[in-house]
Amino acid sequence: MNKVILMGRLTRDPEVRYSAGENALAIARYTLAVDRRFRRDGEATADFINCVSFGRTAEFAEKYFRQGLKIAVTGRIQTGSYTNRDGQKVYTTEVVVEEQEFAESKASSDSYQASHPRTSAPAPSMPEPDAASADGFMNIPDGIDEELPFN
């Protein structure tokens, strides 16, 4: 059985490409920094795991995943190899993502992002609730149903 479950933070925004042809398929690649359970000399260590997702899963990653976000993925390990331009054989290992989900609340993610600033422009945030929604709930604009990633 080849089954992987990981939880970690994205080291950068996902890199998404689309296959050529009539039925273009989205392919997202990202790296997860997964904390190791045991620390060496009291210092935190992490493994950096390359992940790849396809189709709707890749489109979801492109739309919602940003550097620093904590996510959980399940999938399978896939190994491969290729010969680089210098004629050397390069071996690869990556997780082919079958399922992915958020592993923290938006508030936790925002506080993490604030304490770990990025070098690039920040991701757009949700609008602040106005006086009409004093109960703490945001007013949902009409037509947003088409943009939601679930049914």
Side-chain angles (χ1 to χ4, degrees), residues 2 15 19 32 40 49 55 67 77 81 93 100 112-113 117 128 133-134 143-144 151:
N2 183 352
E15 177 184 313
S19 63
L32 280 183
R40 184 178 299 149
I49 313 293
Q67 178 182 356
I77 291 180
S81 64
T93 303
Q100 59 192 10
Y112 177 85
Q113 301 265 343
E128 292 295 320
S133 60
I144 196 156
N151 297 336

Side-chain angles (χ1 to χ4, degrees), residues 42-92:
E43 189 174 315
T45 57
D47 291 301
F48 297 90
I49 313 293
N50 294 324
C51 300
V52 61
S53 61
F54 300 93
R56 294 187 75 179
T57 307
E59 292 169 0
F60 183 89
E62 178 180 35
K63 190 169 186 177
Y64 296 104
F65 288 179
R66 296 292 173 255
Q67 178 182 356
L69 181 69
K70 189 174 193 177
I71 63 169
V73 301
T74 60
R76 59 186 166 82
I77 291 180
Q78 180 171 291
T79 60
S81 64
Y82 64 92
T83 304
N84 68 12
R85 292 182 181 143
D86 299 329
Q88 296 176 320
K89 192 157 194 159
V90 178
Y91 294 93
T92 62

Side-chain angles (χ1 to χ4, degrees), residues 76-147:
R76 59 186 166 82
I77 291 180
Q78 180 171 291
T79 60
S81 64
Y82 64 92
T83 304
N84 68 12
R85 292 182 181 143
D86 299 329
Q88 296 176 320
K89 192 157 194 159
V90 178
Y91 294 93
T92 62
T93 303
E94 60 190 1
V95 172
V96 177
V97 175
E98 295 165 354
E99 297 177 17
Q100 59 192 10
E101 60 188 70
F102 299 107
E104 67 184 348
S105 68
K106 175 93 168 100
S108 295
S109 175
D110 289 346
S111 67
Y112 177 85
Q113 301 265 343
S115 64
H116 296 82
R118 295 172 47 176
T119 56
S120 59
S125 61
M126 296 298 288
E128 292 295 320
D130 57 22
S133 60
D135 58 1
F137 290 96
M138 185 177 93
N139 292 327
I140 305 296
D142 292 334
I144 196 156
D145 293 343
E146 294 85 38
E147 295 181 29

